[in-house]
Amino acid sequence: MSYAGDLTPQQAWDLLESTPDAVLVDVRTVGEWQQIGVPDLSPLDDDREVVFTEWATAFGPNPRFLDQLAEAGLTPGDGRPVVFLCRSGNRSIGAAVDATAAGFGPSYNVLEGFEGDTDLSGARTVNGWRLRGLPSTTYTAGE
């Protein structure tokens, strides 16, 4: 495996809760953050905030992705766990692979993502961070 591994949403929360230097990176698009909501780390009571950086944009891969991780305070080789989250747990695999290759991490992917898998009608009502009852909130520009 080219990244540290996959975590369920609950395992990701447990890692964030038990490891104060762990970082949660939401790699969805700005539109997803604004329309769907975002994970909320405020219940951890340690002033940690989610890092918001798109892994892919409407124009393709985000060429500044790794730079934006560094700008958010991550340092290659520092050993801080980095947990990547997207809509359904697919894009975040690519983010974890890229981050691992650049020396960030250990880097993890959150299975099911924020919204989870689709049901038979195409709605995202099956699983995921939000449906598993983990903390979430609305996105405020500039977060």
Side-chain angles (χ1 to χ4, degrees):
M1 181 175 296
S2 56
Y3 57 100
D6 298 312
L7 303 172
T8 65
Q10 185 63 55
Q11 289 170 326
W13 179 258
D14 293 345
L15 174 67
L16 292 161
E17 190 172 44
S18 67
T19 311
D21 66 338
V23 178
L24 179 61
V25 180
D26 190 327
V27 299
R28 295 175 297 149
T29 64
V30 172
E32 288 172 301
W33 302 329
Q34 292 172 335
Q35 295 172 15
I36 309 300
V38 295
D40 179 13
L41 299 182
S42 66
L44 297 178
D45 293 328
D46 61 10
D47 295 327
R48 256 186 298 176
E49 294 184 10
V50 177
V51 172
F52 295 100
T53 183
E54 297 173 304
W55 183 69
T57 69
F59 305 105
N62 177 357
R64 296 207 62 249
F65 176 71
L66 296 173
D67 292 335
Q68 290 169 339
L69 292 179
E71 290 165 8
L74 295 168
T75 304
D78 69 3
R80 289 176 71 184
V82 185
V83 178
F84 291 96
L85 176 77
C86 69
R87 179 181 65 194
S88 61
N90 292 312
R91 278 176 286 174
S92 48
I93 292 172
V97 168
D98 286 355
T100 298
F104 294 101
S107 297
Y108 298 92
N109 169 57
V110 178
L111 298 168
E112 304 172 12
F114 187 75
E115 294 180 67
D117 298 316
T118 56
D119 61 21
L120 295 177
S121 67
R124 294 193 179 274
T125 63
V126 177
N127 52 27
W129 180 284
R130 190 173 54 167
L131 269 105
R132 299 227 181 254
L134 294 169
S136 63
T137 188
T138 56
Y139 176 76
T140 304
E143 286 193 39

